[in-house]
Amino acid sequence: QVQLVESGGGLVQAGGSLRLSCVASRNIFSFNVVGWYRQAPGEQREFVADIISGTGTNYADSVKGRFTISRDNAKNTMYLQMNSLKPEDTAVYYCHADVWGFGGTTSWGQGTQVTVSS
């Protein structure tokens, strides 16, 4: 298992921006998938964006064109740049890292709160 620690959440007005970071305890290059989910109060955790090694990036329709996921292997860090934020983006954001195959694992961070005021 790897430890993931998110940061960068906070309170922002609608239309504003935030950048979330997720630092891994070991080489992020080794993961097949790294990405972000979010969970609003009373809702199920939902997919936001991910990077699949050898394939590319994927985004939920609700964030396409506004959010950008990236990774810096040298810093063992993934990022989620969030622009043009909307009140409906308010949620706890979780990063995850997956290893596929026999004995594969999924690791989660503890979450960071993002609140967008109208």
Side-chain angles (χ1 to χ4, degrees):
Q1 286 281 350
V2 62
Q3 291 187 339
L4 302 172
V5 179
E6 299 105 333
S7 61
L11 173 64
V12 64
Q13 288 188 331
S17 298
L18 284 174
R19 189 177 79 155
L20 305 183
S21 300
C22 175
V23 180
S25 60
R26 62 179 175 90
N27 194 338
I28 203 171
F29 182 76
S30 64
F31 297 105
N32 297 103
V33 185
V34 295
W36 297 88
Y37 276 67
R38 66 187 182 187
Q39 187 168 18
E43 302 290 333
Q44 290 189 335
R45 192 172 294 191
E46 65 173 5
F47 169 78
V48 176
D50 66 17
I51 302 174
I52 301 177
S53 294
T55 300
T57 58
N58 302 284
Y59 296 94
D61 288 343
S62 59
V63 306
K64 277 181 184 176
R66 300 189 298 121
F67 291 11
T68 302
I69 187 172
S70 62
R71 62 195 289 174
D72 186 334
N73 293 335
K75 296 182 178 180
N76 294 337
T77 302
M78 69 179 96
Y79 303 98
L80 186 67
Q81 178 67 43
M82 305 185 295
N83 299 328
S84 302
L85 282 161
K86 305 175 181 180
E88 51 263 43
D89 295 318
T90 295
V92 177
Y93 284 70
Y94 299 89
C95 62
H96 73 94
D98 301 349
V99 176
W100 292 345
F102 182 79
T105 58
T106 295
S107 301
W108 292 92
Q110 82 287 352
T112 186
Q113 176 70 47
V114 171
T115 303
V116 184
S117 62
S118 56

mmCIF file with all atom_site columns, all heavy atoms in Angstrom, residues 79-98:
data_model
loop_
_atom_site.group_PDB
_atom_site.id
_atom_site.type_symbol
_atom_site.label_atom_id
_atom_site.label_alt_id
_atom_site.label_comp_id
_atom_site.label_asym_id
_atom_site.label_entity_id
_atom_site.label_seq_id
_atom_site.pdbx_PDB_ins_code
_atom_site.Cartn_x
_atom_site.Cartn_y
_atom_site.Cartn_z
_atom_site.occupancy
_atom_site.B_iso_or_equiv
_atom_site.pdbx_formal_charge
_atom_site.auth_seq_id
_atom_site.auth_comp_id
_atom_site.auth_asym_id
_atom_site.auth_atom_id
_atom_site.pdbx_PDB_model_num
ATOM 1   N N   . TYR A 1 79 ? -1.791  16.272 -9.556  1.00 0.00 ? 79 TYR A N   1
ATOM 2   C CA  . TYR A 1 79 ? -2.464  17.546 -9.340  1.00 0.00 ? 79 TYR A CA  1
ATOM 3   C C   . TYR A 1 79 ? -3.849  17.536 -9.995  1.00 0.00 ? 79 TYR A C   1
ATOM 4   O O   . TYR A 1 79 ? -4.094  16.800 -10.957 1.00 0.00 ? 79 TYR A O   1
ATOM 5   C CB  . TYR A 1 79 ? -1.657  18.700 -9.951  1.00 0.00 ? 79 TYR A CB  1
ATOM 6   C CG  . TYR A 1 79 ? -0.253  18.814 -9.439  1.00 0.00 ? 79 TYR A CG  1
ATOM 7   C CD1 . TYR A 1 79 ? 0.809   18.278 -10.150 1.00 0.00 ? 79 TYR A CD1 1
ATOM 8   C CD2 . TYR A 1 79 ? 0.014   19.478 -8.243  1.00 0.00 ? 79 TYR A CD2 1
ATOM 9   C CE1 . TYR A 1 79 ? 2.106   18.380 -9.683  1.00 0.00 ? 79 TYR A CE1 1
ATOM 10  C CE2 . TYR A 1 79 ? 1.324   19.593 -7.765  1.00 0.00 ? 79 TYR A CE2 1
ATOM 11  C CZ  . TYR A 1 79 ? 2.351   19.038 -8.493  1.00 0.00 ? 79 TYR A CZ  1
ATOM 12  O OH  . TYR A 1 79 ? 3.636   19.149 -8.025  1.00 0.00 ? 79 TYR A OH  1
ATOM 13  N N   . LEU A 1 80 ? -4.707  18.381 -9.476  1.00 0.00 ? 80 LEU A N   1
ATOM 14  C CA  . LEU A 1 80 ? -5.987  18.640 -10.124 1.00 0.00 ? 80 LEU A CA  1
ATOM 15  C C   . LEU A 1 80 ? -6.178  20.151 -10.128 1.00 0.00 ? 80 LEU A C   1
ATOM 16  O O   . LEU A 1 80 ? -6.444  20.750 -9.097  1.00 0.00 ? 80 LEU A O   1
ATOM 17  C CB  . LEU A 1 80 ? -7.148  17.953 -9.401  1.00 0.00 ? 80 LEU A CB  1
ATOM 18  C CG  . LEU A 1 80 ? -8.494  18.061 -10.103 1.00 0.00 ? 80 LEU A CG  1
ATOM 19  C CD1 . LEU A 1 80 ? -8.484  17.270 -11.415 1.00 0.00 ? 80 LEU A CD1 1
ATOM 20  C CD2 . LEU A 1 80 ? -9.629  17.574 -9.208  1.00 0.00 ? 80 LEU A CD2 1
ATOM 21  N N   . GLN A 1 81 ? -5.993  20.747 -11.303 1.00 0.00 ? 81 GLN A N   1
ATOM 22  C CA  . GLN A 1 81 ? -6.229  22.173 -11.474 1.00 0.00 ? 81 GLN A CA  1
ATOM 23  C C   . GLN A 1 81 ? -7.698  22.383 -11.776 1.00 0.00 ? 81 GLN A C   1
ATOM 24  O O   . GLN A 1 81 ? -8.211  21.833 -12.754 1.00 0.00 ? 81 GLN A O   1
ATOM 25  C CB  . GLN A 1 81 ? -5.381  22.732 -12.607 1.00 0.00 ? 81 GLN A CB  1
ATOM 26  C CG  . GLN A 1 81 ? -5.607  24.206 -12.891 1.00 0.00 ? 81 GLN A CG  1
ATOM 27  C CD  . GLN A 1 81 ? -5.152  25.109 -11.763 1.00 0.00 ? 81 GLN A CD  1
ATOM 28  O OE1 . GLN A 1 81 ? -4.086  24.909 -11.197 1.00 0.00 ? 81 GLN A OE1 1
ATOM 29  N NE2 . GLN A 1 81 ? -5.977  26.091 -11.412 1.00 0.00 ? 81 GLN A NE2 1
ATOM 30  N N   . MET A 1 82 ? -8.362  23.156 -10.946 1.00 0.00 ? 82 MET A N   1
ATOM 31  C CA  . MET A 1 82 ? -9.804  23.351 -11.079 1.00 0.00 ? 82 MET A CA  1
ATOM 32  C C   . MET A 1 82 ? -10.075 24.825 -11.345 1.00 0.00 ? 82 MET A C   1
ATOM 33  O O   . MET A 1 82 ? -9.776  25.674 -10.503 1.00 0.00 ? 82 MET A O   1
ATOM 34  C CB  . MET A 1 82 ? -10.519 22.905 -9.802  1.00 0.00 ? 82 MET A CB  1
ATOM 35  C CG  . MET A 1 82 ? -10.213 21.480 -9.397  1.00 0.00 ? 82 MET A CG  1
ATOM 36  S SD  . MET A 1 82 ? -11.172 20.906 -7.975  1.00 0.00 ? 82 MET A SD  1
ATOM 37  C CE  . MET A 1 82 ? -10.546 21.994 -6.700  1.00 0.00 ? 82 MET A CE  1
ATOM 38  N N   . ASN A 1 83 ? -10.611 25.117 -12.523 1.00 0.00 ? 83 ASN A N   1
ATOM 39  C CA  . ASN A 1 83 ? -10.941 26.474 -12.926 1.00 0.00 ? 83 ASN A CA  1
ATOM 40  C C   . ASN A 1 83 ? -12.448 26.627 -13.100 1.00 0.00 ? 83 ASN A C   1
ATOM 41  O O   . ASN A 1 83 ? -13.171 25.634 -13.219 1.00 0.00 ? 83 ASN A O   1
ATOM 42  C CB  . ASN A 1 83 ? -10.225 26.835 -14.227 1.00 0.00 ? 83 ASN A CB  1
ATOM 43  C CG  . ASN A 1 83 ? -8.720  26.786 -14.109 1.00 0.00 ? 83 ASN A CG  1
ATOM 44  O OD1 . ASN A 1 83 ? -8.139  27.062 -13.058 1.00 0.00 ? 83 ASN A OD1 1
ATOM 45  N ND2 . ASN A 1 83 ? -8.062  26.426 -15.209 1.00 0.00 ? 83 ASN A ND2 1
ATOM 46  N N   . SER A 1 84 ? -12.899 27.860 -13.136 1.00 0.00 ? 84 SER A N   1
ATOM 47  C CA  . SER A 1 84 ? -14.328 28.150 -13.339 1.00 0.00 ? 84 SER A CA  1
ATOM 48  C C   . SER A 1 84 ? -15.194 27.315 -12.402 1.00 0.00 ? 84 SER A C   1
ATOM 49  O O   . SER A 1 84 ? -16.173 26.683 -12.813 1.00 0.00 ? 84 SER A O   1
ATOM 50  C CB  . SER A 1 84 ? -14.717 27.882 -14.802 1.00 0.00 ? 84 SER A CB  1
ATOM 51  O OG  . SER A 1 84 ? -13.946 28.639 -15.684 1.00 0.00 ? 84 SER A OG  1
ATOM 52  N N   . LEU A 1 85 ? -14.841 27.319 -11.154 1.00 0.00 ? 85 LEU A N   1
ATOM 53  C CA  . LEU A 1 85 ? -15.525 26.480 -10.179 1.00 0.00 ? 85 LEU A CA  1
ATOM 54  C C   . LEU A 1 85 ? -16.971 26.905 -9.993  1.00 0.00 ? 85 LEU A C   1
ATOM 55  O O   . LEU A 1 85 ? -17.305 28.107 -10.071 1.00 0.00 ? 85 LEU A O   1
ATOM 56  C CB  . LEU A 1 85 ? -14.786 26.515 -8.844  1.00 0.00 ? 85 LEU A CB  1
ATOM 57  C CG  . LEU A 1 85 ? -13.534 25.633 -8.796  1.00 0.00 ? 85 LEU A CG  1
ATOM 58  C CD1 . LEU A 1 85 ? -12.611 26.046 -7.659  1.00 0.00 ? 85 LEU A CD1 1
ATOM 59  C CD2 . LEU A 1 85 ? -13.911 24.173 -8.683  1.00 0.00 ? 85 LEU A CD2 1
ATOM 60  N N   . LYS A 1 86 ? -17.820 25.922 -9.750  1.00 0.00 ? 86 LYS A N   1
ATOM 61  C CA  . LYS A 1 86 ? -19.252 26.122 -9.561  1.00 0.00 ? 86 LYS A CA  1
ATOM 62  C C   . LYS A 1 86 ? -19.651 25.609 -8.183  1.00 0.00 ? 86 LYS A C   1
ATOM 63  O O   . LYS A 1 86 ? -18.981 24.723 -7.625  1.00 0.00 ? 86 LYS A O   1
ATOM 64  C CB  . LYS A 1 86 ? -20.040 25.353 -10.623 1.00 0.00 ? 86 LYS A CB  1
ATOM 65  C CG  . LYS A 1 86 ? -19.653 25.669 -12.054 1.00 0.00 ? 86 LYS A CG  1
ATOM 66  C CD  . LYS A 1 86 ? -20.396 24.764 -13.021 1.00 0.00 ? 86 LYS A CD  1
ATOM 67  C CE  . LYS A 1 86 ? -20.004 25.050 -14.469 1.00 0.00 ? 86 LYS A CE  1
ATOM 68  N NZ  . LYS A 1 86 ? -20.718 24.166 -15.424 1.00 0.00 ? 86 LYS A NZ  1
ATOM 69  N N   . PRO A 1 87 ? -20.740 26.118 -7.629  1.00 0.00 ? 87 PRO A N   1
ATOM 70  C CA  . PRO A 1 87 ? -21.186 25.610 -6.320  1.00 0.00 ? 87 PRO A CA  1
ATOM 71  C C   . PRO A 1 87 ? -21.381 24.093 -6.305  1.00 0.00 ? 87 PRO A C   1
ATOM 72  O O   . PRO A 1 87 ? -21.117 23.440 -5.278  1.00 0.00 ? 87 PRO A O   1
ATOM 73  C CB  . PRO A 1 87 ? -22.505 26.344 -6.097  1.00 0.00 ? 87 PRO A CB  1
ATOM 74  C CG  . PRO A 1 87 ? -22.334 27.631 -6.828  1.00 0.00 ? 87 PRO A CG  1
ATOM 75  C CD  . PRO A 1 87 ? -21.542 27.271 -8.059  1.00 0.00 ? 87 PRO A CD  1
ATOM 76  N N   . GLU A 1 88 ? -21.778 23.522 -7.441  1.00 0.00 ? 88 GLU A N   1
ATOM 77  C CA  . GLU A 1 88 ? -21.984 22.070 -7.494  1.00 0.00 ? 88 GLU A CA  1
ATOM 78  C C   . GLU A 1 88 ? -20.682 21.288 -7.471  1.00 0.00 ? 88 GLU A C   1
ATOM 79  O O   . GLU A 1 88 ? -20.700 20.059 -7.399  1.00 0.00 ? 88 GLU A O   1
ATOM 80  C CB  . GLU A 1 88 ? -22.820 21.683 -8.716  1.00 0.00 ? 88 GLU A CB  1
ATOM 81  C CG  . GLU A 1 88 ? -22.328 22.250 -10.029 1.00 0.00 ? 88 GLU A CG  1
ATOM 82  C CD  . GLU A 1 88 ? -23.061 23.528 -10.422 1.00 0.00 ? 88 GLU A CD  1
ATOM 83  O OE1 . GLU A 1 88 ? -23.274 24.398 -9.541  1.00 0.00 ? 88 GLU A OE1 1
ATOM 84  O OE2 . GLU A 1 88 ? -23.404 23.651 -11.620 1.00 0.00 ? 88 GLU A OE2 1
ATOM 85  N N   . ASP A 1 89 ? -19.550 21.972 -7.531  1.00 0.00 ? 89 ASP A N   1
ATOM 86  C CA  . ASP A 1 89 ? -18.265 21.299 -7.370  1.00 0.00 ? 89 ASP A CA  1
ATOM 87  C C   . ASP A 1 89 ? -17.905 21.098 -5.900  1.00 0.00 ? 89 ASP A C   1
ATOM 88  O O   . ASP A 1 89 ? -16.903 20.445 -5.588  1.00 0.00 ? 89 ASP A O   1
ATOM 89  C CB  . ASP A 1 89 ? -17.151 22.102 -8.042  1.00 0.00 ? 89 ASP A CB  1
ATOM 90  C CG  . ASP A 1 89 ? -17.298 22.183 -9.550  1.00 0.00 ? 89 ASP A CG  1
ATOM 91  O OD1 . ASP A 1 89 ? -17.629 21.155 -10.174 1.00 0.00 ? 89 ASP A OD1 1
ATOM 92  O OD2 . ASP A 1 89 ? -17.064 23.279 -10.109 1.00 0.00 ? 89 ASP A OD2 1
ATOM 93  N N   . THR A 1 90 ? -18.696 21.646 -5.002  1.00 0.00 ? 90 THR A N   1
ATOM 94  C CA  . THR A 1 90 ? -18.445 21.501 -3.574  1.00 0.00 ? 90 THR A CA  1
ATOM 95  C C   . THR A 1 90 ? -18.496 20.032 -3.169  1.00 0.00 ? 90 THR A C   1
ATOM 96  O O   . THR A 1 90 ? -19.482 19.333 -3.437  1.00 0.00 ? 90 THR A O   1
ATOM 97  C CB  . THR A 1 90 ? -19.483 22.299 -2.764  1.00 0.00 ? 90 THR A CB  1
ATOM 98  O OG1 . THR A 1 90 ? -19.305 23.697 -3.038  1.00 0.00 ? 90 THR A OG1 1
ATOM 99  C CG2 . THR A 1 90 ? -19.325 22.043 -1.269  1.00 0.00 ? 90 THR A CG2 1
ATOM 100 N N   . ALA A 1 91 ? -17.421 19.565 -2.560  1.00 0.00 ? 91 ALA A N   1
ATOM 101 C CA  . ALA A 1 91 ? -17.312 18.154 -2.181  1.00 0.00 ? 91 ALA A CA  1
ATOM 102 C C   . ALA A 1 91 ? -15.985 17.935 -1.463  1.00 0.00 ? 91 ALA A C   1
ATOM 103 O O   . ALA A 1 91 ? -15.124 18.817 -1.441  1.00 0.00 ? 91 ALA A O   1
ATOM 104 C CB  . ALA A 1 91 ? -17.383 17.262 -3.419  1.00 0.00 ? 91 ALA A CB  1
ATOM 105 N N   . VAL A 1 92 ? -15.843 16.742 -0.912  1.00 0.00 ? 92 VAL A N   1
ATOM 106 C CA  . VAL A 1 92 ? -14.532 16.282 -0.453  1.00 0.00 ? 92 VAL A CA  1
ATOM 107 C C   . VAL A 1 92 ? -13.888 15.559 -1.638  1.00 0.00 ? 92 VAL A C   1
ATOM 108 O O   . VAL A 1 92 ? -14.498 14.677 -2.237  1.00 0.00 ? 92 VAL A O   1
ATOM 109 C CB  . VAL A 1 92 ? -14.638 15.343 0.757   1.00 0.00 ? 92 VAL A CB  1
ATOM 110 C CG1 . VAL A 1 92 ? -13.259 14.844 1.155   1.00 0.00 ? 92 VAL A CG1 1
ATOM 111 C CG2 . VAL A 1 92 ? -15.309 16.054 1.931   1.00 0.00 ? 92 VAL A CG2 1
ATOM 112 N N   . TYR A 1 93 ? -12.675 15.966 -1.953  1.00 0.00 ? 93 TYR A N   1
ATOM 113 C CA  . TYR A 1 93 ? -11.960 15.391 -3.093  1.00 0.00 ? 93 TYR A CA  1
ATOM 114 C C   . TYR A 1 93 ? -10.906 14.408 -2.595  1.00 0.00 ? 93 TYR A C   1
ATOM 115 O O   . TYR A 1 93 ? -10.117 14.727 -1.691  1.00 0.00 ? 93 TYR A O   1
ATOM 116 C CB  . TYR A 1 93 ? -11.301 16.505 -3.915  1.00 0.00 ? 93 TYR A CB  1
ATOM 117 C CG  . TYR A 1 93 ? -12.287 17.260 -4.765  1.00 0.00 ? 93 TYR A CG  1
ATOM 118 C CD1 . TYR A 1 93 ? -13.236 18.102 -4.184  1.00 0.00 ? 93 TYR A CD1 1
ATOM 119 C CD2 . TYR A 1 93 ? -12.308 17.120 -6.149  1.00 0.00 ? 93 TYR A CD2 1
ATOM 120 C CE1 . TYR A 1 93 ? -14.171 18.782 -4.957  1.00 0.00 ? 93 TYR A CE1 1
ATOM 121 C CE2 . TYR A 1 93 ? -13.230 17.800 -6.930  1.00 0.00 ? 93 TYR A CE2 1
ATOM 122 C CZ  . TYR A 1 93 ? -14.160 18.624 -6.328  1.00 0.00 ? 93 TYR A CZ  1
ATOM 123 O OH  . TYR A 1 93 ? -15.078 19.285 -7.106  1.00 0.00 ? 93 TYR A OH  1
ATOM 124 N N   . TYR A 1 94 ? -10.914 13.230 -3.204  1.00 0.00 ? 94 TYR A N   1
ATOM 125 C CA  . TYR A 1 94 ? -10.004 12.158 -2.824  1.00 0.00 ? 94 TYR A CA  1
ATOM 126 C C   . TYR A 1 94 ? -9.127  11.782 -4.017  1.00 0.00 ? 94 TYR A C   1
ATOM 127 O O   . TYR A 1 94 ? -9.634  11.594 -5.133  1.00 0.00 ? 94 TYR A O   1
ATOM 128 C CB  . TYR A 1 94 ? -10.781 10.906 -2.407  1.00 0.00 ? 94 TYR A CB  1
ATOM 129 C CG  . TYR A 1 94 ? -11.691 11.090 -1.217  1.00 0.00 ? 94 TYR A CG  1
ATOM 130 C CD1 . TYR A 1 94 ? -13.003 11.502 -1.387  1.00 0.00 ? 94 TYR A CD1 1
ATOM 131 C CD2 . TYR A 1 94 ? -11.235 10.828 0.072   1.00 0.00 ? 94 TYR A CD2 1
ATOM 132 C CE1 . TYR A 1 94 ? -13.852 11.661 -0.305  1.00 0.00 ? 94 TYR A CE1 1
ATOM 133 C CE2 . TYR A 1 94 ? -12.078 10.973 1.161   1.00 0.00 ? 94 TYR A CE2 1
ATOM 134 C CZ  . TYR A 1 94 ? -13.381 11.395 0.960   1.00 0.00 ? 94 TYR A CZ  1
ATOM 135 O OH  . TYR A 1 94 ? -14.220 11.538 2.047   1.00 0.00 ? 94 TYR A OH  1
ATOM 136 N N   . CYS A 1 95 ? -7.839  11.618 -3.780  1.00 0.00 ? 95 CYS A N   1
ATOM 137 C CA  . CYS A 1 95 ? -6.977  11.068 -4.823  1.00 0.00 ? 95 CYS A CA  1
ATOM 138 C C   . CYS A 1 95 ? -6.849  9.560  -4.601  1.00 0.00 ? 95 CYS A C   1
ATOM 139 O O   . CYS A 1 95 ? -7.050  9.054  -3.490  1.00 0.00 ? 95 CYS A O   1
ATOM 140 C CB  . CYS A 1 95 ? -5.603  11.740 -4.829  1.00 0.00 ? 95 CYS A CB  1
ATOM 141 S SG  . CYS A 1 95 ? -4.622  11.532 -3.327  1.00 0.00 ? 95 CYS A SG  1
ATOM 142 N N   . HIS A 1 96 ? -6.537  8.860  -5.680  1.00 0.00 ? 96 HIS A N   1
ATOM 143 C CA  . HIS A 1 96 ? -6.340  7.412  -5.588  1.00 0.00 ? 96 HIS A CA  1
ATOM 144 C C   . HIS A 1 96 ? -5.238  6.980  -6.537  1.00 0.00 ? 96 HIS A C   1
ATOM 145 O O   . HIS A 1 96 ? -4.912  7.677  -7.504  1.00 0.00 ? 96 HIS A O   1
ATOM 146 C CB  . HIS A 1 96 ? -7.632  6.655  -5.876  1.00 0.00 ? 96 HIS A CB  1
ATOM 147 C CG  . HIS A 1 96 ? -8.039  6.657  -7.323  1.00 0.00 ? 96 HIS A CG  1
ATOM 148 N ND1 . HIS A 1 96 ? -7.714  5.655  -8.207  1.00 0.00 ? 96 HIS A ND1 1
ATOM 149 C CD2 . HIS A 1 96 ? -8.742  7.564  -8.034  1.00 0.00 ? 96 HIS A CD2 1
ATOM 150 C CE1 . HIS A 1 96 ? -8.212  5.955  -9.406  1.00 0.00 ? 96 HIS A CE1 1
ATOM 151 N NE2 . HIS A 1 96 ? -8.832  7.100  -9.322  1.00 0.00 ? 96 HIS A NE2 1
ATOM 152 N N   . ALA A 1 97 ? -4.681  5.819  -6.227  1.00 0.00 ? 97 ALA A N   1
ATOM 153 C CA  . ALA A 1 97 ? -3.624  5.244  -7.065  1.00 0.00 ? 97 ALA A CA  1
ATOM 154 C C   . ALA A 1 97 ? -3.846  3.746  -7.120  1.00 0.00 ? 97 ALA A C   1
ATOM 155 O O   . ALA A 1 97 ? -3.999  3.096  -6.080  1.00 0.00 ? 97 ALA A O   1
ATOM 156 C CB  . ALA A 1 97 ? -2.250  5.570  -6.482  1.00 0.00 ? 97 ALA A CB  1
ATOM 157 N N   . ASP A 1 98 ? -3.869  3.213  -8.345  1.00 0.00 ? 98 ASP A N   1
ATOM 158 C CA  . ASP A 1 98 ? -4.200  1.806  -8.563  1.00 0.00 ? 98 ASP A CA  1
ATOM 159 C C   . ASP A 1 98 ? -3.028  1.055  -9.168  1.00 0.00 ? 98 ASP A C   1
ATOM 160 O O   . ASP A 1 98 ? -2.356  1.555  -10.072 1.00 0.00 ? 98 ASP A O   1
ATOM 161 C CB  . ASP A 1 98 ? -5.377  1.666  -9.517  1.00 0.00 ? 98 ASP A CB  1
ATOM 162 C CG  . ASP A 1 98 ? -6.623  2.361  -9.025  1.00 0.00 ? 98 ASP A CG  1
ATOM 163 O OD1 . ASP A 1 98 ? -6.644  2.777  -7.869  1.00 0.00 ? 98 ASP A OD1 1
ATOM 164 O OD2 . ASP A 1 98 ? -7.568  2.491  -9.820  1.00 0.00 ? 98 ASP A OD2 1
#
